[in-house]
Amino acid sequence: MSNDRRTKEVYRQDPSVTYVSGTATLSPTDQFVNFDTNGTFNVTLPAIADCVGKTFSFYRSVTGTGDITVIDAGDSSNWSNLVFDAQYDACVLYASPDKWHIGNEIA
């Protein structure tokens, strides 16, 4: 039996990743966020009016201690804070006109 391996090269421009290592307020262009440090701190989402129709991806890439809490800017209905407390925690958010929606969460 032959080992028929087909290789397909995929070219794409990777979006910018925002690395967050402490308390921060995100901008509407920070759509791919990697928490790359330990510690306990808050990360505030941008105003929802500036993000309608966009998705935001969050990922905690490190082991260690501390809770990283994602909070809204006070303008999303029915918001519950997201807590990233372990390596590989991840979440995707979608912004509608009046609230953030959790599209996928791995915790």
Side-chain angles (χ1 to χ4, degrees), residues 1 4 13 16 23 30 42 61-62 68 76 78 89 92:
M1 173 183 253
D4 183 19
Q13 184 176 3
S16 296
T23 299
D30 296 328
N42 292 337
S61 60
V62 296
I68 302 167
S76 177
N78 300 318
D89 281 356
V92 175

Side-chain angles (χ1 to χ4, degrees), residues 22-33:
T23 299
T25 298
L26 301 176
S27 76
T29 59
D30 296 328
Q31 291 181 257
F32 298 91
V33 179

Side-chain angles (χ1 to χ4, degrees), residues 10 12 14 24 41 47 49-50 56 59 64 70 75 85 88 90 95 101:
V10 178
R12 71 180 175 107
D14 288 332
F41 55 89
D50 297 333
F56 288 72
Y59 178 70
V70 175
D75 56 355
D85 59 2
Y88 308 124
H101 300 270

Side-chain angles (χ1 to χ4, degrees), residues 71-94:
I71 62 177
D72 78 327
D75 56 355
S76 177
S77 60
N78 300 318
W79 174 256
S80 294
N81 292 341
L82 300 172
V83 178
F84 294 76
D85 59 2
Q87 185 178 24
Y88 308 124
D89 281 356
C91 183
V92 175
L93 296 178
Y94 172 77

